[in-house]
Amino acid sequence: MGTEQTEPPTSEMLPASIVSLVAELENVGVTEIPPLASAIDPDALVTLFDKPNASPSVLEFDYAGYRIVIKGDGNVHALEASPVELCNAD
């Protein structure tokens, strides 16, 4: 399950938009999920997406149980992160 925002946020609003999106998916308030800074530097996000022509094609990171995917145009997608199974080399 996942979702995407309908309109790309401005670079300054990107961190708050990500937190709001995940809170909405979890059906909780924004204060009930971990701070975004626990996963990525919010100021770095603003800087990366401040200039659309210089933005990365895609940026992905895990946050609060979701895989956050930000496209170069600023569109944000949140996909449920799949648990990683460790294999035993024995």
Side-chain angles (χ1 to χ4, degrees), residues 52-82:
N53 294 337
S55 298
S57 302
V58 176
L59 175 67
E60 297 185 28
F61 61 94
D62 292 331
Y63 169 60
Y66 290 88
R67 174 59 104 173
I68 306 299
V69 179
I70 308 170
K71 295 190 175 178
D73 60 5
N75 280 310
V76 178
H77 303 264
L79 308 169
E80 283 189 50
S82 302

Side-chain angles (χ1 to χ4, degrees), residues 1-66:
M1 178 171 116
T3 190
E4 103 180 65
Q5 294 184 318
T6 56
E7 186 175 320
T10 63
S11 63
E12 295 83 22
M13 296 301 297
L14 191 56
S17 295
I18 293 167
V19 172
S20 294
L21 180 60
V22 171
E24 180 181 322
L25 289 169
E26 290 293 307
N27 201 26
V28 298
V30 294
T31 59
E32 297 179 58
I33 58 175
L36 184 61
S38 67
I40 196 164
D41 182 344
D43 293 333
L45 280 178
V46 171
T47 301
L48 275 172
F49 290 91
D50 191 33
K51 295 181 177 65
N53 294 337
S55 298
S57 302
V58 176
L59 175 67
E60 297 185 28
F61 61 94
D62 292 331
Y63 169 60
Y66 290 88

